[in-house]
Amino acid sequence: MAIKVDKVLDAKGLACPMPIVRTKKALEELKAGQVLEVQATDKGSLADIQSWAKSIGHQYLGSNQDGDVLHHFVRKSDSTEVKVERNIWNVRMERFH
């Protein structure tokens, strides 16, 4: 199944943290629901982009590899897709009445 891509980011040849920095900037230019394809050669980008997207609240759609190039797919979230904020102890803060 092919993923409809709205923008392609060329991050080939860039080392950590630059693929993430460029991914963040590219997603800022997209509308909610649009998909960014990140092309990277840094093997660490596989775990980095997946983890970063999850921590921010964007949807990591997956990756595939073509030769030395990793193709990552990230869908930009919208404001209704809320993630739980956590404090430094990784505990959900709730208000008691």
Side-chain angles (χ1 to χ4, degrees), residues 7 23-31 34 76:
K7 182 174 183 166
T23 297
K24 179 182 182 295
K25 188 168 186 72
L27 279 173
E28 289 172 357
E29 299 171 3
L30 295 180
K31 296 178 183 173
Q34 290 187 311
K76 183 174 181 174

Side-chain angles (χ1 to χ4, degrees), residues 7 9 20-36 38 52 56 58 74-77:
K7 182 174 183 166
L9 170 64
I20 297 294
V21 172
R22 299 268 175 95
T23 297
K24 179 182 182 295
K25 188 168 186 72
L27 279 173
E28 289 172 357
E29 299 171 3
L30 295 180
K31 296 178 183 173
Q34 290 187 311
V35 175
L36 175 68
V38 182
W52 175 83
I56 297 300
H58 299 303
V74 180
R75 180 186 162 273
K76 183 174 181 174
S77 65

Side-chain angles (χ1 to χ4, degrees), residues 8-84:
V8 176
L9 170 64
D10 183 355
K12 296 186 290 282
L14 300 178
C16 185
M18 292 312 297
I20 297 294
V21 172
R22 299 268 175 95
T23 297
K24 179 182 182 295
K25 188 168 186 72
L27 279 173
E28 289 172 357
E29 299 171 3
L30 295 180
K31 296 178 183 173
Q34 290 187 311
V35 175
L36 175 68
E37 176 185 346
V38 182
Q39 298 176 352
T41 51
D42 178 10
K43 300 294 184 203
S45 67
L46 186 60
D48 293 346
I49 291 177
Q50 183 176 7
S51 177
W52 175 83
K54 183 179 179 181
S55 71
I56 297 300
H58 299 303
Q59 286 184 319
Y60 177 78
L61 302 176
S63 297
N64 59 47
Q65 188 166 357
D66 182 17
D68 291 337
V69 180
L70 292 161
H71 299 263
H72 308 287
F73 301 92
V74 180
R75 180 186 162 273
K76 183 174 181 174
S77 65
D78 64 33
S79 60
T80 64
E81 297 171 291
V82 179
K83 67 182 187 94
V84 175

